[in-house]
Amino acid sequence: MNVIYLDNNATTKVAPEVVDAMLPYLSEYYGNPSSMHSFGGDVAEKIKEARENVANLIGATADEIVFTSCGTESDSTAIRAAVESNPDRKHIVTSRVEHPAVKNLYETLSKKGYRVTFVPVDGQGNLDLDYLYSNLSNDTAVVSLMWANNETGVIFPIEEISQKIKDRGIVFHTDAVQAVGKLPIDINETGVDLLSLSGHKLHAPKGIGVLYIRKGTKFSPFMIGGHQERGRRGGTENVASIVALGKAAELAQKHLDEDGYAHIGQLRDKLEAALLTRISHSMVNGDREHRLLNTTSIAYEYVVGEAVLLMMNEHGICASSGSACTSGSLEPSHVLRAMGVPFTAAHGSIRYSLSRYTTAEEIDVVIEKTPPIIERLRSMSPFWKEAVKLAAV
Ligand code: PLP
């Protein structure tokens, strides 16, 4: 059975060109980039090239790019560095819908005496900007907000926010893990000081990330060791993965330049429109205007998302549900709860996330297979029967 992979916000296929680029650095070119000899020096040159490619993708300069092990490391490093370099300030501002990579760090920081403000979102997943601005003070050390939401794809107005808060001595960090490679980003159009990205969301392998550090931003490293990454992240470089990310960044730039994700957006819109038409009591979670072009989160009322996923899996279709099931609970996700999505809808929410490898034929299969799955599950649901009865009254 062919796999139809619509779970690209979880992770992406490593692009074949990326595999080809990285393989020699797992075999013949194994020199240490810090070595004096040219066998190591050649590897250092290749890292330089990768750094430039990543910098180009976000409009940064190469020396503002620090390679890390993943998006989570970049997020943690950024937020810790921001508070450590502003020891007189004890306040952090973030949103209620951040990824656990960021969200769970605040529990630790709260225990250390930091006050954290979680800015709410509305029913469309848009940030309450008035709440955000009115909560900033001279005690605020860092504002950390995601650029695009991993569950709904909703995009926060990062450029606008960063312009509003700059010149206040507040460090501005953005978790751009879902945004980089999917949106055109020019970091110089923003006042962002720190930005996190992750290789495996843009067709590079897992285990490689980047922290962008704007020139002049006060910074203290998390990994203290050798002089690698100009002292900002010690440890011998993950050369093959860095080379891979450099190639993935180059490809992402090319695809963005070619059609700016328009093709992926058309397939997403086709999928969404067909499912909403064919399945009653279904709706899109999140603002459909300000959204990543590859993502749709659809709530099917009166079914359980995990059951839908299992039945989709029988047809080789991979997607995600809106529950925090990875943590062993069937609680609806904190993102959908923050948006006030009703329980019956949040529980039956499915996130479809496409990539440049998604085909029109695959979308047709999903459109064909999904309605009978929902119908079957609803036919077994006492809540659905009750809802139909009430609607008939
Ligand atoms: N931030 C967001 C918005 C994400 O979606 C993810 C991963 O899903 C992360 C951070 C964590 O990235 P990584 O898996 O590279 O640690």
Side-chain angles (χ1 to χ4, degrees), residues 377-391:
L377 289 171
R378 281 180 177 166
S379 71
M380 295 186 272
S381 157
F383 300 109
W384 172 248
K385 287 179 190 148
E386 196 57 30
V388 172
K389 225 187 292 168
L390 283 175

Side-chain angles (χ1 to χ4, degrees), residues 9 70-72 75 99 101 146 148 150 175 177-178 198 200-201:
N9 287 6
C70 58
T72 304
D75 284 338
H99 189 273
M146 67 198 327
N150 46 299
D175 174 351
V177 164
Q178 293 293 344
S198 174
H200 73 105
K201 310 291 182 179

